[in-house]
Amino acid sequence: MNKKILILPGDYIGTEIMAEAVKVLELLKAEGEKIEWSFGHLGGAAYDAEGHPYPPSTQKAACEADAILMGAVGGPKYDSLPRAVRPEQGILGIRKDLGLFANLRPALAYEELAAASSFKPEVIAGLDILILRELTGDIYFGQPRGRRSNAEGAEEGYDTMHYSRPEVERIAHVAFQAAQKRNKRLCSVDKENVLETSRLWREVVIEVGKQYPDVALSHMYVDNAAMQLVKNPKQFDVIVTGNIFGDILSDEASMLAGSIGMLPSASLDVNNKGLYEPIHGSAPDIAGQGKANPLATILSVGMMFRYTFNRADLADRIDAAVKQVLRQGKRTGDIAQPGERIIGTKEMGDAVVAALKK
Ligand code: IPM
Ligand code: MG
């Protein structure tokens, strides 16, 4: 039976970068891989077409799919909509609905792009870290939340941060197992000196760690982690953290890789069904101009083969093809140095497909 992939291009550059990822799928299908795909709406595109950022048609298709590829959602066109129908609710909705609690965000410094990073080459050379972000809990989804008037009668907004023991346990297991497959070092990031949520988080991570004696576990406060990531990022192997801290730290870590346009991500459920997306946004400023870097989306296809379809061979091939086009000097604007020839989205996609061909 064919593996079913649901493609949700999303908004602005989402459609442009996804077209290049589809070229990769087409090549693999032509080689005989048993895959098929269909398209759906998410985010602003879904609001335009069906009046909701995560409409029932997408929900149904997402449940039926084996894996989901997403572009990017959001943008100025939708900024003035009420919160409940803003594009962000599309991505938050699908994560929660499908139970995609484990968000893998690798940050890899490509040798070829060292000059595109704002860091000194020696700080990032050879950098390879994995940020594991819990994705369906924390202050993102905590209740109660809303507006009220406080004791002094002033209007206030409030949110609730919480994690339950089972929620921390399951992300901790994923983290330890990921560390076992890498350099066996895990750093858990929290704010245990201030937050009750973090105190429980740390206790549970330590407990789960007893089952993984081969992994060296350390702990770091999130403010220090933000500092250490730019001071000496190579001290990290796997970082595990909650939803909001992971949101912030993963954007920070993306700069180590030279460009946010290079980083893929995977969001997995308990059975490794996953949603795969570049970690960058919909880049309204360059949309429709054929300038966007499709590599993070193409690398997301690689992660899909690695984690959901258990095809490390194909994932390795896609990763190698991306490295090869970088070695060939192919550069979209975001990763080009002054004086380098800049190519467009399509040309970059075609270069990867050419490098992929056996
Ligand atoms: C991300 C994004 C989302 C998040 C937004 C679009 C809701 O920043 O995937 O990191 O905050 O999780
Ligand atoms: Mg983010």
Side-chain angles (χ1 to χ4, degrees), residues 105 133 140 247 250-251:
R105 298 191 166 189
R133 167 186 176 197
Y140 267 64
D247 178 45
S250 61
D251 262 31

Side-chain angles (χ1 to χ4, degrees), residues 73 76 126 147 165 351:
V73 300
R147 297 282 186 98
R165 183 172 287 273

Side-chain angles (χ1 to χ4, degrees), residues 26-49:
E26 279 165 351
L27 174 77
L28 296 176
K29 192 175 170 74
E31 281 180 4
E33 290 306 326
K34 297 204 169 335
I35 49 175
E36 63 183 58
W37 53 91
S38 60
F39 291 86
H41 296 301
L42 191 77
Y47 177 79
D48 288 341

Side-chain angles (χ1 to χ4, degrees), residues 32-332:
E33 290 306 326
K34 297 204 169 335
I35 49 175
E36 63 183 58
W37 53 91
S38 60
F39 291 86
H41 296 301
L42 191 77
Y47 177 79
D48 288 341
E50 304 180 50
H52 194 277
Y54 180 45
S57 64
T58 302
Q59 185 178 29
K60 181 166 180 285
C63 288
E64 287 167 8
D66 295 301
I68 299 151
L69 265 180
M70 201 200 98
V73 300
K77 187 177 166 199
Y78 310 104
D79 280 351
S80 54
L81 290 175
R83 178 181 301 281
V85 290
R86 285 195 38 173
E88 290 77 6
Q89 296 307 314
I91 179 67
L92 295 175
I94 194 171
R95 285 172 181 170
K96 190 74 177 170
D97 194 35
L98 299 184
L100 306 171
F101 71 97
N103 183 216
L104 284 67
R105 298 191 166 189
L108 203 76
Y110 290 90
E111 213 182 305
E112 296 78 7
L113 299 182
S117 171
S118 35
F119 291 85
K120 290 186 200 137
E122 64 269 25
V123 174
I124 51 163
L127 177 86
D128 177 358
I129 63 185
L130 175 66
I131 297 189
L132 195 60
R133 167 186 176 197
E134 200 291 330
L135 204 56
T136 52
D138 203 356
I139 197 163
Y140 267 64
F141 296 97
Q143 293 291 344
R145 60 187 285 161
R147 297 282 186 98
R148 62 188 169 199
S149 56
N150 70 11
E152 288 81 47
E155 185 184 17
E156 67 178 15
Y158 62 102
D159 298 274
T160 306
M161 176 179 265
H162 62 73
Y163 266 119
S164 67
R165 183 172 287 273
E167 281 177 314
V168 184
E169 278 170 357
R170 65 179 184 177
I171 192 74
H173 280 290
V174 177
F176 281 105
Q177 285 163 23
Q180 278 182 325
K181 291 192 198 132
R182 295 172 43 103
N183 292 321
K184 300 192 166 53
R185 286 182 294 118
L186 176 64
C187 180
S188 170
V189 170
D190 61 36
K191 189 70 185 172
E192 193 255 1
N193 50 344
V194 177
L195 301 174
E196 283 305 323
T197 314
S198 284
R199 287 187 59 190
L200 176 76
W201 175 281
R202 191 176 287 210
E203 265 171 48
V204 174
V205 171
I206 291 172
E207 266 171 47
V208 171
K210 291 181 186 145
Q211 297 173 45
Y212 302 90
D214 54 331
V215 175
L217 173 65
S218 60
H219 304 273
M220 203 180 269
Y221 298 141
V222 63
D223 49 348
N224 186 26
M227 193 256 281
Q228 296 295 334
L229 261 178
V230 291
K231 187 177 172 204
N232 176 19
K234 282 190 266 181
Q235 70 185 284
F236 297 108
D237 176 21
V238 180
I239 291 176
V240 65
T241 190
N243 205 345
I244 185 98
F245 299 155
D247 178 45
I248 298 164
L249 293 181
S250 61
D251 262 31
E252 186 189 9
S254 73
M255 276 299 104
L256 300 163
S259 167
I260 198 164
M262 292 300 301
L263 296 185
S265 75
S267 306
L268 306 177
D269 76 1
V270 285
N271 300 312
N272 287 338
K273 172 170 172 173
L275 180 145
Y276 296 84
E277 57 174 316
I279 85 160
H280 61 70
S282 61
D285 53 322
I286 57 162
Q289 301 170 39
K291 285 183 181 172
N293 181 352
L295 293 179
T297 313
I298 290 172
L299 290 166
S300 299
V301 174
M303 286 190 92
M304 175 179 77
F305 282 108
R306 191 179 302 283
Y307 291 101
T308 294
F309 299 154
N310 282 313
R311 290 294 304 274
D313 57 324
L314 292 180
D316 289 346
R317 249 181 87 198
I318 292 172
D319 291 354
V322 167
K323 283 209 177 93
Q324 191 177 324
V325 301
L326 293 176
R327 264 199 310 280
Q328 290 164 353
K330 306 278 190 217
R331 300 286 185 270
T332 42

